[in-house]
Amino acid sequence: METYTETKELVENPHYQAQRQKILADLSDDMIDVPIIELINAFNNLPHCFTLQSCYGHFIYYGQNDSHNLEPLPITNTIDKVEYRIAYIAFCIENSASGRGLIETLKEITAIDQKNIQFCCAEWFWKRQVNSYALQVEPDRFKTKDRTMLDYKEALHIEKIRNEFFVRLDGLLENVRKR
């Protein structure tokens, strides 16, 4: 599935509140990867955005075939290749001053590692929900894919970036709540 397209400008969306209520009414914690439940719920408590989908990012390799694996990569010399399923959060953002501010703040998260974190749109999300954006952790050369094969050393690097990504998003929320 293609996940990356260039960002689009916010457009007017008179149905934002109704769409937000419907999406949030249909969302439950058991639909969210455990390590990011609190983070997703915190974003959904902001009135100027709601989440559409998310993934903590999963690493699958020989001996670990669980497609929803949440365990850290082991330190070993026996793994050559790792399938990485991208970490991301897809948001719908309100066309408002607060929404525009959130977009600018989310873009700053890419500074963790601009070669491996993108703020973007996904055309298929936008067709279903205008003003949808995604923040994803994926090597730039694979940014249009939702999964890829990495060598073990690069997978370790991506795991470190993914972990920092979620820590920084949590910090971002703390700053937004203080405003």
Side-chain angles (χ1 to χ4, degrees), residues 131-144:
N131 298 337
S132 59
Y133 299 87
L135 195 55
Q136 67 182 30
V137 178
E138 179 79 304
D140 195 60
R141 69 190 184 280
F142 300 119
K143 67 185 175 189
T144 64

PDB file of all heavy atoms in Angstrom, residues 131-144:
ATOM      1  N   ASN A 131      -8.208  16.703   4.751  1.00  0.00           N
ATOM      2  CA  ASN A 131      -7.368  17.229   5.837  1.00  0.00           C
ATOM      3  C   ASN A 131      -6.728  16.110   6.656  1.00  0.00           C
ATOM      4  O   ASN A 131      -6.533  16.245   7.860  1.00  0.00           O
ATOM      5  CB  ASN A 131      -8.133  18.206   6.725  1.00  0.00           C
ATOM      6  CG  ASN A 131      -8.614  19.418   5.963  1.00  0.00           C
ATOM      7  OD1 ASN A 131      -8.060  19.767   4.923  1.00  0.00           O
ATOM      8  ND2 ASN A 131      -9.658  20.056   6.456  1.00  0.00           N
ATOM      9  N   SER A 132      -6.411  15.017   5.973  1.00  0.00           N
ATOM     10  CA  SER A 132      -5.736  13.912   6.659  1.00  0.00           C
ATOM     11  C   SER A 132      -4.240  13.959   6.349  1.00  0.00           C
ATOM     12  O   SER A 132      -3.826  14.218   5.224  1.00  0.00           O
ATOM     13  CB  SER A 132      -6.335  12.560   6.254  1.00  0.00           C
ATOM     14  OG  SER A 132      -6.230  12.347   4.868  1.00  0.00           O
ATOM     15  N   TYR A 133      -3.471  13.722   7.400  1.00  0.00           N
ATOM     16  CA  TYR A 133      -2.011  13.776   7.330  1.00  0.00           C
ATOM     17  C   TYR A 133      -1.450  12.585   8.091  1.00  0.00           C
ATOM     18  O   TYR A 133      -2.126  12.029   8.952  1.00  0.00           O
ATOM     19  CB  TYR A 133      -1.494  15.087   7.962  1.00  0.00           C
ATOM     20  CG  TYR A 133      -1.996  16.301   7.247  1.00  0.00           C
ATOM     21  CD1 TYR A 133      -3.219  16.876   7.598  1.00  0.00           C
ATOM     22  CD2 TYR A 133      -1.283  16.853   6.198  1.00  0.00           C
ATOM     23  CE1 TYR A 133      -3.703  17.987   6.906  1.00  0.00           C
ATOM     24  CE2 TYR A 133      -1.759  17.969   5.514  1.00  0.00           C
ATOM     25  CZ  TYR A 133      -2.973  18.517   5.873  1.00  0.00           C
ATOM     26  OH  TYR A 133      -3.446  19.606   5.189  1.00  0.00           O
ATOM     27  N   ALA A 134      -0.236  12.235   7.771  1.00  0.00           N
ATOM     28  CA  ALA A 134       0.411  11.142   8.492  1.00  0.00           C
ATOM     29  C   ALA A 134       1.819  11.563   8.882  1.00  0.00           C
ATOM     30  O   ALA A 134       2.492  12.307   8.170  1.00  0.00           O
ATOM     31  CB  ALA A 134       0.466   9.883   7.634  1.00  0.00           C
ATOM     32  N   LEU A 135       2.236  11.066  10.013  1.00  0.00           N
ATOM     33  CA  LEU A 135       3.604  11.189  10.468  1.00  0.00           C
ATOM     34  C   LEU A 135       4.104   9.763  10.555  1.00  0.00           C
ATOM     35  O   LEU A 135       3.487   8.935  11.236  1.00  0.00           O
ATOM     36  CB  LEU A 135       3.633  11.891  11.825  1.00  0.00           C
ATOM     37  CG  LEU A 135       4.944  12.440  12.332  1.00  0.00           C
ATOM     38  CD1 LEU A 135       5.590  13.402  11.337  1.00  0.00           C
ATOM     39  CD2 LEU A 135       4.731  13.147  13.658  1.00  0.00           C
ATOM     40  N   GLN A 136       5.161   9.436   9.803  1.00  0.00           N
ATOM     41  CA  GLN A 136       5.604   8.048   9.711  1.00  0.00           C
ATOM     42  C   GLN A 136       7.102   7.911   9.882  1.00  0.00           C
ATOM     43  O   GLN A 136       7.857   8.817   9.581  1.00  0.00           O
ATOM     44  CB  GLN A 136       5.163   7.436   8.382  1.00  0.00           C
ATOM     45  CG  GLN A 136       5.828   8.038   7.161  1.00  0.00           C
ATOM     46  CD  GLN A 136       5.326   7.427   5.848  1.00  0.00           C
ATOM     47  OE1 GLN A 136       4.188   7.000   5.740  1.00  0.00           O
ATOM     48  NE2 GLN A 136       6.213   7.383   4.856  1.00  0.00           N
ATOM     49  N   VAL A 137       7.479   6.732  10.377  1.00  0.00           N
ATOM     50  CA  VAL A 137       8.886   6.366  10.513  1.00  0.00           C
ATOM     51  C   VAL A 137       9.162   5.292   9.471  1.00  0.00           C
ATOM     52  O   VAL A 137       8.663   4.171   9.569  1.00  0.00           O
ATOM     53  CB  VAL A 137       9.196   5.818  11.929  1.00  0.00           C
ATOM     54  CG1 VAL A 137      10.668   5.402  12.017  1.00  0.00           C
ATOM     55  CG2 VAL A 137       8.843   6.831  12.991  1.00  0.00           C
ATOM     56  N   GLU A 138       9.929   5.675   8.447  1.00  0.00           N
ATOM     57  CA  GLU A 138      10.234   4.773   7.335  1.00  0.00           C
ATOM     58  C   GLU A 138      11.462   5.314   6.624  1.00  0.00           C
ATOM     59  O   GLU A 138      11.543   6.527   6.381  1.00  0.00           O
ATOM     60  CB  GLU A 138       9.044   4.733   6.375  1.00  0.00           C
ATOM     61  CG  GLU A 138       9.219   3.852   5.169  1.00  0.00           C
ATOM     62  CD  GLU A 138       9.003   2.382   5.436  1.00  0.00           C
ATOM     63  OE1 GLU A 138       9.685   1.829   6.329  1.00  0.00           O
ATOM     64  OE2 GLU A 138       8.176   1.769   4.758  1.00  0.00           O
ATOM     65  N   PRO A 139      12.449   4.463   6.311  1.00  0.00           N
ATOM     66  CA  PRO A 139      13.576   4.975   5.528  1.00  0.00           C
ATOM     67  C   PRO A 139      13.063   5.696   4.281  1.00  0.00           C
ATOM     68  O   PRO A 139      12.128   5.219   3.619  1.00  0.00           O
ATOM     69  CB  PRO A 139      14.362   3.710   5.165  1.00  0.00           C
ATOM     70  CG  PRO A 139      14.057   2.765   6.291  1.00  0.00           C
ATOM     71  CD  PRO A 139      12.603   3.037   6.626  1.00  0.00           C
ATOM     72  N   ASP A 140      13.637   6.843   3.984  1.00  0.00           N
ATOM     73  CA  ASP A 140      13.152   7.693   2.901  1.00  0.00           C
ATOM     74  C   ASP A 140      13.008   6.934   1.577  1.00  0.00           C
ATOM     75  O   ASP A 140      12.056   7.160   0.841  1.00  0.00           O
ATOM     76  CB  ASP A 140      14.094   8.894   2.732  1.00  0.00           C
ATOM     77  CG  ASP A 140      13.478   9.980   1.890  1.00  0.00           C
ATOM     78  OD1 ASP A 140      12.409  10.501   2.277  1.00  0.00           O
ATOM     79  OD2 ASP A 140      14.054  10.299   0.832  1.00  0.00           O
ATOM     80  N   ARG A 141      13.920   6.034   1.292  1.00  0.00           N
ATOM     81  CA  ARG A 141      13.860   5.330   0.019  1.00  0.00           C
ATOM     82  C   ARG A 141      12.655   4.394  -0.072  1.00  0.00           C
ATOM     83  O   ARG A 141      12.287   3.948  -1.153  1.00  0.00           O
ATOM     84  CB  ARG A 141      15.167   4.575  -0.238  1.00  0.00           C
ATOM     85  CG  ARG A 141      15.424   3.404   0.673  1.00  0.00           C
ATOM     86  CD  ARG A 141      16.848   2.869   0.499  1.00  0.00           C
ATOM     87  NE  ARG A 141      17.111   1.685   1.277  1.00  0.00           N
ATOM     88  CZ  ARG A 141      17.393   1.669   2.560  1.00  0.00           C
ATOM     89  NH1 ARG A 141      17.459   2.796   3.259  1.00  0.00           N
ATOM     90  NH2 ARG A 141      17.627   0.521   3.182  1.00  0.00           N
ATOM     91  N   PHE A 142      11.999   4.112   1.062  1.00  0.00           N
ATOM     92  CA  PHE A 142      10.812   3.256   1.085  1.00  0.00           C
ATOM     93  C   PHE A 142       9.562   4.021   1.540  1.00  0.00           C
ATOM     94  O   PHE A 142       8.547   3.415   1.868  1.00  0.00           O
ATOM     95  CB  PHE A 142      11.026   2.074   2.037  1.00  0.00           C
ATOM     96  CG  PHE A 142      12.175   1.185   1.674  1.00  0.00           C
ATOM     97  CD1 PHE A 142      13.235   1.026   2.550  1.00  0.00           C
ATOM     98  CD2 PHE A 142      12.215   0.507   0.471  1.00  0.00           C
ATOM     99  CE1 PHE A 142      14.309   0.204   2.235  1.00  0.00           C
ATOM    100  CE2 PHE A 142      13.284  -0.315   0.134  1.00  0.00           C
ATOM    101  CZ  PHE A 142      14.333  -0.472   1.020  1.00  0.00           C
ATOM    102  N   LYS A 143       9.619   5.340   1.543  1.00  0.00           N
ATOM    103  CA  LYS A 143       8.563   6.148   2.162  1.00  0.00           C
ATOM    104  C   LYS A 143       7.182   5.949   1.564  1.00  0.00           C
ATOM    105  O   LYS A 143       6.192   6.295   2.191  1.00  0.00           O
ATOM    106  CB  LYS A 143       8.935   7.627   2.142  1.00  0.00           C
ATOM    107  CG  LYS A 143       8.984   8.250   0.767  1.00  0.00           C
ATOM    108  CD  LYS A 143       9.488   9.669   0.849  1.00  0.00           C
ATOM    109  CE  LYS A 143       9.662  10.263  -0.539  1.00  0.00           C
ATOM    110  NZ  LYS A 143      10.349  11.548  -0.459  1.00  0.00           N
ATOM    111  N   THR A 144       7.083   5.366   0.384  1.00  0.00           N
ATOM    112  CA  THR A 144       5.764   5.134  -0.213  1.00  0.00           C
ATOM    113  C   THR A 144       5.199   3.756   0.126  1.00  0.00           C
ATOM    114  O   THR A 144       4.120   3.402  -0.321  1.00  0.00           O
ATOM    115  CB  THR A 144       5.803   5.275  -1.752  1.00  0.00           C
ATOM    116  OG1 THR A 144       6.652   4.260  -2.289  1.00  0.00           O
ATOM    117  CG2 THR A 144       6.282   6.659  -2.169  1.00  0.00           C
TER     118      THR A 144
END
